[in-house]
Amino acid sequence: MPSSGPSLRPIRSLVRTRRATRLAARRALVGAEDIWDAFADWFNRLDLSENTILLGFAVVIGSAAALGVVVFYKAIDIAYDLLFLWTGTYLSRMGLLAYRPLLTAAGLATAWWIMRRLGRGHDGLNVPDVQLAVARRGGDLPARPAIARSAASAVTLGSGASAGSEGPVAVLGAAVGSFLGRLFHFDPQRVRVLVGAGAAAGISAAFNAPLAGAFFALEEILGSFAIGSFPPVVVASVLAAVVSHSFFGNNPAFPVPIEYGFTLKREVFLFYPLLGVVTGLISVLFIRVYFGIESGVKKLTWPDWLLPWLGGLTVGGLVVLSHGLLVGYGHFAMHIELFGRLPWSTLALLSLGSIVATSLTLNTGGSGGLFTPSLYVGATAGGAFGAALASLFPHLGLHPEAYALVGMGALVAGATGAPITGILLVFEMTNDYAIIVPLMLTTVTAFIVARWMEKDNLYSGWLRRRGENLEQGSDRDVLTGLKVADAYDPTASAVDEGVPVSILLDQLTRSDYMDLPVVDEERRLVGLITTVDLGRIAKDQANLLDILVAADVARPTETVTPEDSLLVAIRRMGVRGAGSIPVVHPNTQRLLGMLTRAHVLALYERAVASG
């Protein structure tokens, strides 16, 4: 039998060559990383001011995020052109309508495949996931799922499904900020600010609304209006709007004709608060339908690959039944005047249809955001309300379009928990101060009604169902994760309930606390005596100083236990505006120590500094 050795030599040689190539590439990569690490360390030793660094990076992030939005929108248009415009050249109008559900299903199936393969099964990244990264992971956002989410969202939107573009662009901008922050080895707090700046830039570029973009990042992403975060977020948002304007022109997401002339006067205090109640209720419906469909889908035992097809067919069917009114075309949205020409019943059905279509799209494999669908649901609900009023009171000359616009801001507030963003976004779209008063009144009413009936919004509900509770902001979240046990002073002194007040006056001057806890013989808390109480007694009842004892002047007080969070402690201090609060055993009520605002602040700062 002939030897096979010579025939294997080329194969072995090829294997050795490939191994050597991979080894050389790995060494080159390690060398490049070492060089970059040295550069980043040198950059951080330059002792530049915090504002200089943040503002400089905000310029880069704003420009890069806006260019990412441009690419994302082009990808949506390419998908739309391939799936609809190109297909339409081979099919009749009726044939295309019949074929549309299948195209939408194919788009959702493709988006599901992209997230499963390129995104490696990651169910983020979305706005709540960015909130979670800021609160829990020091702003660390993985780039691969963000890119996969953008690609999957482009296919979803291009296939005619019901989803928003703002979620992907906010995530894309936030991922840019996170990548640059980690690339330069910045501390977690600085990375968080850059993530917020990136999210602001994405929203600003998407909606041509720099104010709304900045406040969206502060309100929803960072959960804080701290003065240190404000300048870089604003700079990134403005730069993104400028770059976006150079590509798309000065066109808001929902174009508003100037001739509407919002002369909203007599109905402001009657009709618009009622619209706030209506949109608040619809916000609750949106939230419950969305998470109800999510729960229902999770209970299904069908193969995972089948769900996008079924969901896409259903969504495509709803779009066909609406004659295409449920969605826009490509990355463009519908013009607002549409909501003033349709009957109120049609608009109401479109509002309900959008809730169902969006919930199905995003829970059966599609990708996208919830902000733009909230705007659409608000516009149709507000338009329906305005059209109904116009038919009931034709002599008032009401404009349903105005109610549609105000409904957009109100629904955003109720459904996503972002009232400031909702107000600013609608104002930037109209550029009309006449709409501010009814817009603010309606938005606040909708927000109150929605939170009264449903504690979750679309973002916090997503997190809570995954075991996270951010308490609507990163600062509160940090306090929620810290315990009283880690902050209170167990050596704080207490006074016996039988000690005369005259002696307390001398003891108070030697205490580090402005409040004195009073305890009984078993060290159970009786109450608290403040310096104000003692000063008032010394002034008004000086003749009783030797008669009164500590128990006579001690006031009932709020308490905390070692297992309570610092957020709970701060809230209980706020009940009486105190600077300290007693810490007691949860079962026996024995005094364990005192917790002050200074203790809370010290532990909070250590937690933030450590990321």
Side-chain angles (χ1 to χ4, degrees):
M1 179 179 294
S3 174
S4 60
S7 63
L8 293 177
R9 288 174 184 170
I11 297 176
R12 291 171 178 166
S13 177
L14 180 61
V15 170
R16 285 195 296 268
T17 302
R18 288 181 176 177
R19 287 177 178 172
T21 302
R22 285 198 297 268
L23 182 60
R26 191 177 297 113
R27 287 174 177 172
L29 181 61
V30 171
E33 289 178 350
D34 291 340
I35 294 173
W36 178 260
D37 289 343
F39 171 78
D41 292 340
W42 169 82
F43 179 84
N44 289 320
R45 288 196 301 268
L46 290 178
D47 199 26
L48 298 174
S49 70
E50 186 72 3
N51 279 336
T52 299
I53 294 174
L54 289 177
L55 292 179
F57 275 81
V59 172
V60 176
I61 290 170
S63 303
L67 292 175
V69 171
V70 172
V71 173
F72 176 64
Y73 278 178
K74 293 298 182 183
I76 295 174
D77 292 339
I78 290 172
Y80 180 81
D81 291 345
L82 289 175
L83 291 172
F84 288 98
L85 298 185
W86 178 76
T87 307
T89 60
Y90 297 96
L91 297 173
S92 65
R93 178 175 176 79
M94 293 302 297
L96 184 60
L97 287 175
Y99 194 48
R100 178 162 189 157
L102 186 60
L103 291 176
T104 302
L108 261 63
T110 304
W112 173 84
W113 182 87
I114 290 173
M115 290 307 301
R116 188 177 181 85
R117 298 299 182 184
L118 182 59
R120 294 177 178 174
H122 199 290
D123 66 347
L125 294 169
N126 51 21
V127 171
D129 206 47
V130 176
Q131 293 175 324
L132 186 62
V134 168
R136 299 272 198 249
R137 303 194 299 267
D140 186 3
L141 286 169
R144 187 184 182 104
I147 296 172
R149 173 67 68 185
S150 299
S153 299
V155 174
T156 299
L157 293 166
S159 66
S162 179
S165 62
E166 90 297 329
V169 298
V171 169
L172 197 61
V176 171
S178 177
F179 173 76
L180 288 177
R182 289 181 287 113
L183 188 66
F184 279 83
H185 304 166
F186 289 158
D187 63 83
Q189 183 57 31
R190 189 181 289 176
V191 175
R192 291 186 183 100
V193 175
L194 296 183
V195 167
I203 294 294
S204 174
F207 289 105
N208 193 21
L211 264 178
F215 277 89
F216 176 84
L218 295 169
E219 185 178 28
E220 286 294 319
I221 303 301
L222 297 177
S224 169
F225 291 90
I227 192 64
S229 305
F230 197 78
V233 167
V234 170
V235 168
S237 186
V238 171
L239 256 294
V242 171
V243 174
S244 174
H245 184 277
S246 65
F247 285 93
F248 301 124
N250 189 23
N251 299 310
F254 284 77
V256 182
I258 300 176
E259 62 267 19
Y260 282 166
F262 296 100
T263 55
L264 310 171
K265 295 181 180 178
R266 59 187 126 186
E267 68 264 36
V268 168
F269 296 107
L270 178 61
F271 294 152
Y272 281 96
L274 186 56
L275 174 61
V277 174
V278 171
T279 48
L281 294 174
I282 295 175
S283 299
V284 173
L285 178 66
F286 193 176
I287 294 166
R288 293 182 179 177
V289 169
Y290 181 84
F291 291 116
I293 289 179
E294 180 190 51
S295 299
V297 167
K298 288 181 178 179
K299 293 178 182 177
L300 296 175
T301 57
W302 300 340
D304 291 342
W305 61 267
L306 183 60
L307 290 176
W309 288 97
L310 296 177
L313 287 171
T314 306
V315 172
L318 290 173
V319 173
V320 170
L321 290 175
S322 72
H323 301 286
L325 295 179
L326 275 180
V327 294
Y329 48 96
H331 80 271
F332 297 100
M334 286 179 292
H335 290 257
I336 198 69
E337 65 263 24
L338 175 69
F339 303 105
R341 295 198 297 260
L342 296 174
W344 73 267
S345 56
T346 301
L347 290 170
L349 288 175
L350 286 175
S351 182
L352 295 175
S354 180
I355 290 174
V356 174
T358 301
S359 301
L360 284 171
T361 296
L362 298 181
N363 285 309
T364 59
S367 293
L370 287 163
F371 198 89
T372 305
S374 297
L375 289 173
Y376 181 90
V377 172
T380 49
F385 184 82
L389 288 178
S391 63
L392 289 173
F393 309 103
H395 60 284
L396 293 180
L398 303 178
H399 294 285
E401 300 89 348
Y403 288 86
L405 283 166
V406 172
M408 293 165 70
L411 216 296
V412 165
T416 68
I420 297 176
T421 303
I423 292 170
L424 291 176
L425 182 61
V426 174
F427 170 69
E428 285 190 281
M429 289 193 296
T430 62
N431 196 27
D432 189 342
Y433 282 97
I435 203 173
I436 283 291
V437 173
L439 176 61
M440 293 177 68
L441 186 60
T442 307
T443 299
V444 169
T445 303
F447 181 77
I448 292 173
V449 170
R451 294 292 77 78
W452 175 60
M453 296 190 65
E454 176 61 57
K455 67 176 182 178
D456 282 330
N457 58 54
L458 290 170
Y459 294 155
S460 65
W462 188 91
L463 289 168
R464 189 173 65 80
R465 283 162 176 79
R466 286 154 180 81
E468 300 288 348
N469 181 16
L470 298 190
E471 289 286 343
Q472 194 59 35
S474 57
D475 289 341
R476 294 183 184 181
D477 180 62
V478 172
L479 291 175
T480 302
L482 299 175
K483 298 296 184 183
V484 170
D486 300 321
Y488 81 97
D489 178 11
T491 65
S493 60
V495 297
D496 185 78
E497 60 182 347
V499 173
V501 171
S502 58
I503 296 178
L504 289 182
L505 290 173
D506 295 333
Q507 185 171 346
L508 190 61
T509 59
R510 298 191 297 270
S511 174
D512 294 331
Y513 295 93
M514 301 299 290
D515 301 327
L516 283 176
V518 179
V519 297
D520 61 14
E521 294 179 355
E522 297 181 3
R523 202 174 168 78
R524 288 193 299 262
L525 184 69
V526 174
L528 206 65
I529 300 176
T530 68
T531 54
V532 175
D533 295 330
L534 290 178
R536 188 181 300 113
I537 293 170
K539 177 182 177 182
D540 300 333
Q541 303 177 20
N543 58 324
L544 300 178
L545 290 180
D546 293 326
I547 301 175
L548 294 174
V549 296
D552 296 328
V553 296
R555 292 188 179 189
T557 180
E558 297 286 327
T559 62
V560 291
T561 70
E563 292 305 310
D564 286 330
S565 70
L566 292 189
L567 181 62
V568 170
I570 285 293
R571 286 174 173 170
R572 291 183 183 171
M573 286 185 201
V575 170
R576 59 184 181 87
S580 62
I581 190 170
V583 182
V584 299
H585 190 280
N587 298 325
T588 64
Q589 295 300 301
R590 293 183 70 253
L591 180 70
L592 301 177
M594 292 290 288
L595 177 72
T596 67
R597 291 183 183 271
H599 294 147
V600 174
L601 182 60
L603 185 59
Y604 170 82
E605 289 179 344
R606 290 198 300 271
V608 170
S610 63

